[in-house]
Amino acid sequence: MHAEHGKPISPSTGPSADRGDFSQLRKTGERRGSTWAIGYPVGKARDQLARALVRIGATPNAITVAGLVLTCGAGVCLAVGGSHTFGRVEGLRSSLWCFIAFWLLFGAGACDMLDGAAARVGGASTRFGQVLDSTLDRFSDCVPYLALIVHFAWVGNATLCALAGIALVHAYSISYIKARSDNLIDLGRVGWWQRPERCVAFLTGTLFGHMPALLWQQATVPFFTVVFRLRHSSAVIRAEEQGVELPDGGPLPGVWRYLAPWRHARGSLPYDSMVIVNIAWTIAAPWIWPFFYGRSDPLRALMDRCLA
């Protein structure tokens, strides 16, 4: 993403990979986890690649548009083969459509990281670039879910169509609450299911061909991020109006901190546990409970009974 402010930022004043990507972790002083150990060198490599792209004339806006094009390509793959697996699963087709979508989404995610880095290191951040980036991010959020709605409508699975629609609402709501709240308060990075986490979830689902399991996850768990952001926004606004201390959206005090790992900073050990649990769900759920391969359609069965 582009820098937060509209004025161009010189290369010398832009944040480093650690300061920009893990600023909340630095503020809280929490112990660093494996996601920091992976994310920090990735951030360094991103900045080096961004400098190389700037040297050959690539602009942040062009990188942003390239990311959307790759996402649309992934959308085509998911529209054709969103329910397909890679192995032999009874009742399901096997193809490489999801695997191709994985690589296209991987490239789109790289562009999403590189456009802001290129703007920062190249001193090319502009207000229009920020608007373009945010607008195309919303398109990129929309495309994979719409593609899955098309696919599951095509194969006649009402349940997974509905789940894809609900997941899309969650993705938009999480982003919209932050955008609207930031006009009034400093919401920060409240809630676990932010855009990078949703992107990793999609990459996991496409890499293993487990899109139905992903949709069950994205249609349920991110709802709590929507609620958490709304509750925190309400609490902050009330505190400002009453002139009292602002509530903290970070870890809970005392032993309670271990009961809410989603409140911890990105890159911390509790954050690692959330990453492991959510990735493990998408990978293992269909293997343990074949229901999550998406072969059944409970919503259609319920509607048939109600309308019989």
Coordinates of all heavy atoms in Angstrom, one line a residue, residues 193 196-206 211 214 217-218 278-279 282:
W193 N -8.5 -10.3 11.7 CA -8.7 -10.6 10.3 C -8.6 -9.4 9.4 O -9.5 -8.9 8.8 CB -10.0 -11.3 10.0 CG -10.0 -12.8 10.4 CD1 -10.6 -13.3 11.5 CD2 -9.3 -13.8 9.7 NE1 -10.3 -14.7 11.5 CE2 -9.5 -15.0 10.4 CE3 -8.6 -13.9 8.5 CZ2 -9.0 -16.2 10.0 CZ3 -8.1 -15.1 8.1 CH2 -8.3 -16.2 8.8
P196 N -3.9 -8.6 5.2 CA -2.9 -9.5 5.0 C -3.2 -10.9 5.5 O -2.9 -11.9 4.8 CB -1.7 -8.9 5.8 CG -2.0 -7.5 5.8 CD -3.5 -7.4 5.9
E197 N -4.0 -11.0 6.6 CA -4.4 -12.3 7.1 C -5.4 -13.0 6.2 O -5.3 -14.2 6.0 CB -5.0 -12.1 8.5 CG -4.0 -11.9 9.6 CD -3.4 -10.4 9.6 OE1 -4.1 -9.5 9.0 OE2 -2.4 -10.2 10.1
R198 N -6.3 -12.2 5.6 CA -7.2 -12.8 4.6 C -6.5 -13.3 3.3 O -6.8 -14.3 2.8 CB -8.3 -11.8 4.2 CG -9.1 -11.3 5.4 CD -10.4 -10.7 5.0 NE -10.2 -9.5 4.1 CZ -10.1 -8.3 4.5 NH1 -10.1 -8.0 5.8 NH2 -9.9 -7.3 3.7
C199 N -5.5 -12.5 2.9 CA -4.7 -12.9 1.8 C -3.9 -14.2 2.0 O -3.9 -15.1 1.1 CB -3.7 -11.8 1.4 SG -4.4 -10.3 0.7
V200 N -3.4 -14.4 3.2 CA -2.7 -15.6 3.5 C -3.7 -16.8 3.6 O -3.4 -17.9 3.1 CB -1.9 -15.5 4.9 CG1 -1.4 -16.8 5.4 CG2 -0.8 -14.5 4.8
A201 N -4.9 -16.5 4.1 CA -5.9 -17.6 4.1 C -6.2 -18.0 2.7 O -6.4 -19.2 2.4 CB -7.1 -17.1 4.8
F202 N -6.4 -17.1 1.8 CA -6.7 -17.4 0.4 C -5.6 -18.2 -0.3 O -5.8 -19.1 -1.0 CB -7.0 -16.2 -0.4 CG -8.5 -16.1 -0.8 CD1 -9.4 -15.3 -0.1 CD2 -9.0 -16.8 -1.9 CE1 -10.7 -15.2 -0.4 CE2 -10.3 -16.7 -2.2 CZ -11.2 -15.9 -1.5
L203 N -4.3 -17.8 0.0 CA -3.2 -18.5 -0.5 C -3.2 -19.9 0.0 O -2.9 -20.9 -0.8 CB -1.9 -17.8 -0.2 CG -1.6 -16.5 -0.9 CD1 -0.4 -15.8 -0.3 CD2 -1.4 -16.7 -2.4
T204 N -3.5 -20.1 1.3 CA -3.5 -21.5 1.8 C -4.6 -22.3 1.1 O -4.4 -23.5 0.7 CB -3.7 -21.5 3.3 OG1 -2.7 -20.6 3.9 CG2 -3.6 -22.9 3.9
G205 N -5.8 -21.7 1.0 CA -6.9 -22.5 0.4 C -6.6 -22.9 -1.0 O -6.9 -24.0 -1.5
T206 N -6.0 -22.0 -1.8 CA -5.8 -22.3 -3.2 C -4.6 -23.2 -3.4 O -4.6 -24.1 -4.2 CB -5.5 -21.0 -4.0 OG1 -4.5 -20.2 -3.4 CG2 -6.7 -20.2 -4.2
M211 N -11.0 -24.8 -1.0 CA -11.7 -23.6 -1.0 C -13.0 -23.7 -0.2 O -13.4 -22.7 0.5 CB -12.0 -23.1 -2.5 CG -10.8 -22.9 -3.3 SD -9.6 -21.8 -2.5 CE -10.5 -20.3 -2.4
L214 N -12.1 -23.0 3.3 CA -11.8 -21.6 3.5 C -13.0 -20.8 3.6 O -13.1 -19.8 4.4 CB -10.9 -21.1 2.3 CG -10.7 -19.6 2.2 CD1 -9.7 -19.2 3.2 CD2 -10.2 -19.2 0.8
Q217 N -14.6 -20.9 6.9 CA -13.8 -20.1 7.9 C -14.1 -18.6 7.7 O -14.4 -17.9 8.6 CB -12.3 -20.3 7.6 CG -11.4 -19.5 8.5 CD -10.0 -19.5 8.0 OE1 -9.7 -19.0 6.9 NE2 -9.1 -20.2 8.8
Q218 N -14.0 -18.1 6.4 CA -14.2 -16.7 6.1 C -15.6 -16.2 6.3 O -15.8 -15.0 6.5 CB -13.7 -16.4 4.7 CG -12.2 -16.6 4.6 CD -11.4 -15.7 5.5 OE1 -11.5 -14.5 5.5 NE2 -10.6 -16.3 6.3
N278 N -5.3 -21.0 12.2 CA -6.2 -20.7 11.0 C -5.6 -21.4 9.7 O -6.4 -21.8 8.9 CB -6.3 -19.2 10.8 CG -7.2 -18.6 11.8 OD1 -8.4 -18.7 11.7 ND2 -6.7 -17.9 12.8
I279 N -4.3 -21.5 9.6 CA -3.8 -22.2 8.4 C -4.0 -23.7 8.6 O -4.4 -24.4 7.6 CB -2.3 -21.9 8.3 CG1 -2.0 -20.5 7.9 CG2 -1.6 -22.9 7.3 CD1 -0.6 -20.1 7.8
T282 N -7.6 -24.6 7.5 CA -7.9 -24.7 6.0 C -7.2 -26.0 5.4 O -7.8 -26.6 4.5 CB -7.3 -23.4 5.3 OG1 -7.9 -22.3 5.9 CG2 -7.7 -23.4 3.8

